[in-house]
Every structure is written in structure tokens, then in C-alpha cells.
Amino acid sequence: MKGKISHCVYNINYHIVFCPKYQYRHKVFNGKVEDTLKWTVQEICDPYGYTLLRMEAMPDHLHIFLSAPPTAAPTDIVKKIKSITANRIFAAFPGIKKKYFWGSGLWSRGYYIGTAGNVGAETIRKYIEPGNPAIRR
């Protein structure tokens, strides 16, 4: 999805996946917890200029596909989403923190992030090859 900010048109899309701590023991994203998680991620996107393209919460991990402006660092996107969702879920369901996470955080430290766009790497390589008539030098 293309976006626009001052003097810039961009198409930067991220596939982000992260898991709660102790994922092999506790599958916590179902029912009202899943609804709260999804609602919170949607709510986070607008004020930060992200466009949520797709999201799926599995019982033990979360997939997010979003577009973000070039001013947003991928690590900052992940930090914001993890922090805000953890605070909201623990506020709405205080028993989860005590029962499943022993008073610690909701999310594991690691995550996956990949980029996606409309053009593949091979197309870009061919476009910028020396001698390409499409490029003015």
C-alpha cells in the first residue's frame, strides 16, 4: 500500500510476528483476550501513521501486516505495539499476568520482521544495472 508524507511517497510494508512468553505452555490469545489484542493493535496504528493491512491472532502468536512511513523504525514499531498491547491486556485481564506470566511481561523478547513491496529484489537489481537506458546518469 502506498502512503504519502511531506515530500515523500512510500510503499513500506512489514510482516511482524511475535509470541507471548512461555508460548509452549500457555495459549492465551482466544476469546475476549484475542478481541482486546486485535482492537488495541488497530487503535495503535492511526496515531503513529501505520496502516494495518492484515492481522491474525493465533492462540500462541500474533501476525501483523502493516504499512509504515519511512520515518518509523521497524524496531520502534514492534516496541510500541508490544508495550501498549501488554499494558492493555494486563489492565483488562489482571488474572492473566499472575496466572500465566508470574508477574513478568506478556511478550517474549524476540520477534520476526520481514519487508514486502510490489517489486522484487531481482527487478530492482536489473533496474539499477549499468547501461540500463531507463536510468539517466
Side-chain angles (χ1 to χ4, degrees):
M1 168 159 200
K2 287 185 181 178
K4 290 182 180 183
I5 56 174
S6 180
H7 306 288
C8 179
V9 176
Y10 63 89
N11 183 14
I12 304 172
N13 304 313
Y14 297 108
H15 175 210
I16 304 168
V17 182
F18 38 86
C19 306
K21 286 185 175 182
Y22 321 118
Q23 72 172 8
Y24 298 109
R25 296 182 197 166
H26 308 297
K27 299 181 183 328
V28 296
F29 301 134
N30 49 47
K32 291 183 180 182
V33 176
E34 178 183 355
D35 294 343
T36 301
L37 176 63
K38 287 180 173 181
W39 178 80
T40 303
V41 171
Q42 289 173 338
E43 189 179 70
I44 292 167
C45 289
D46 263 355
Y48 290 106
Y50 314 149
T51 302
L52 185 61
L53 304 173
R54 182 109 170 113
M55 173 177 44
E56 187 60 45
M58 307 304 282
D60 61 353
H61 64 283
L62 176 66
H63 286 268
I64 300 170
F65 187 46
L66 59 78
S67 177
T71 55
T75 55
D76 290 340
I77 295 168
V78 171
K79 284 179 192 176
K80 286 173 184 153
I81 292 172
K82 281 185 172 185
S83 174
I84 296 168
T85 56
N87 287 336
R88 292 271 176 86
I89 287 173
F90 287 154
F93 308 96
I96 288 177
K97 185 170 187 171
K98 186 176 180 182
K99 182 176 180 181
Y100 295 113
F101 299 99
W102 305 295
S104 69
L106 174 66
W107 300 108
S108 64
R109 290 176 55 193
Y111 59 92
Y112 165 82
I113 191 161
T115 57
N118 291 335
V119 180
E122 187 58 33
T123 302
I124 294 169
R125 267 196 286 284
K126 286 180 182 178
Y127 180 78
I128 63 174
E129 280 180 357
N132 186 333
I135 300 176
R136 295 184 194 147
R137 300 203 193 263

